Amino acid sequence: MSTKDGGARPADGGLAGQTVVVVGGSAGIGLETAREVRAAGGEVVLAARNPDRLERAAADLSPLSTAVFDALDTDRLERFLHELPGRVDHVLVTAGSPSYTPLDELDLADAGRDFGGRIAMMLAAARASRGRVRAGGTLLFIGGTGGRPPVAGMAVTGALTAALPALTANLALEVAPLRGNLIAAGVVDTPLSASLLGEQLESRREQLRRTLPIGRVVGPADVASLALHIMANGALTGATYDIDGGQQLVAPETTARLPVRPDRAATGADGPGPRS
């Protein structure tokens, strides 16, 4: 049902007959969102950089099409979106790889690429989506909340965490009537989080169960459900939506991070975005 001025009522909630492009759709939040889109009667187009995972996802979801590339290759990302066979309804971009490196170990060239590459990826997705996403559809990014409190070794991640909401709000004006939004996730229990934390995974899960107000760890389905709501509600644009189970409400010492390897990063390990 639509309102008099053409906006979708929030109660609609369905994506039946709509097409969602998921960049980073082979694992974690992207894959779970694609599953929920299919369960809601929608179609998906999947893109990811890992061909084996993408093949498995495609076998599970029967997407309209798939593409293998690294979304930080902005020329390839724009070409992928421009070459979509027709207009789509929504684009979800989950890719990105910020740094978790102490200052003394930081390679400045790598830091510049981490920060600039993430910003450029979002700009490229926004520019290319204008001609491919229908009016009222949404361009949705995944970020994080973990970089908000100052923590040693999180300088680049903290800067990105602060920058992404401002970038999203500005892009929402430039891509209108396409909508632009950002989901900021805390720790999400994904396979990539497991690979980052290794033997410390269960300790981290138990710590979160004890300290988070919701009493459990946030899962990919929680984030996917929020993503579908943002897609379905045509009044939402230019905003950042936190989903962290109350992690930011808890004293910092009770949610102290376990070490993560500096060469890996992901939403689901206190950072602003996974690579798939």
Side-chain angles (χ1 to χ4, degrees):
M1 183 182 298
S2 297
T3 60
K4 184 179 294 185
D5 60 2
R9 295 185 187 276
D12 279 353
L15 296 178
Q18 297 189 18
T19 299
V20 179
V21 177
V22 184
V23 180
S26 67
I29 293 168
L31 177 58
E32 188 61 34
T33 302
R35 285 195 181 112
E36 294 208 13
V37 170
R38 293 292 283 137
E43 302 286 353
V44 294
V45 174
L46 301 180
R49 67 186 183 122
N50 185 302
D52 294 333
R53 287 204 303 260
L54 184 58
E55 184 177 357
R56 290 194 293 271
D60 181 32
L61 296 175
S62 300
L64 295 175
S65 63
T66 63
V68 178
F69 64 92
D70 189 331
L72 294 178
D73 180 345
T74 53
D75 289 340
R76 183 67 183 88
L77 174 60
E78 286 197 276
R79 188 164 71 251
F80 162 73
L81 292 170
H82 282 307
E83 291 175 352
L84 291 171
R87 285 192 178 271
V88 299
D89 297 282
H90 311 281
V91 173
L92 170 66
V93 181
T94 72
S97 183
S99 171
Y100 292 87
T101 309
L103 184 61
D104 289 342
E105 301 172 17
L106 191 66
D107 182 289
L108 295 181
D110 287 345
R113 283 190 292 270
D114 287 340
F115 188 91
R118 184 65 179 280
I119 299 298
M121 180 191 69
M122 292 176 64
L123 293 170
R127 185 165 66 183
S129 292
R130 286 183 300 181
R132 282 294 176 264
V133 180
R134 66 164 174 82
T138 191
L139 174 61
L140 182 57
F141 300 104
I142 303 292
T145 62
R148 289 180 184 167
V151 176
M154 297 280 284
V156 176
T157 295
L160 272 170
T161 301
L164 298 192
L167 176 58
T168 300
N170 281 274
L171 288 177
L173 293 176
E174 295 212 46
V175 302
L178 168 64
R179 298 179 291 118
N181 289 290
L182 174 72
I183 291 176
V187 178
V188 182
D189 198 348
T190 64
L192 194 49
S193 296
S195 71
L196 287 166
L197 293 169
E199 295 179 354
Q200 301 172 84
L201 175 63
E202 285 303 325
S203 296
R204 183 61 163 144
R205 285 172 171 163
E206 181 54 34
Q207 179 193 52
L208 291 167
R209 293 185 190 109
R210 289 196 318 269
T211 59
L212 290 183
I214 64 171
R216 64 177 180 85
V217 185
V218 176
D222 296 310
V223 185
S225 179
L226 176 58
L228 264 65
H229 172 71
I230 294 169
M231 292 175 192
N233 189 327
L236 304 179
T237 193
T240 296
Y241 300 89
D242 289 4
I243 180 165
D244 66 357
Q247 186 177 344
Q248 295 173 91
L249 307 178
V250 181
E253 62 269 19
T254 67
T255 57
R257 291 178 185 80
L258 296 175
V260 297
R261 296 192 298 276
D263 61 326
R264 300 289 299 279
T267 294
D270 297 318
R275 298 184 70 182
S276 299

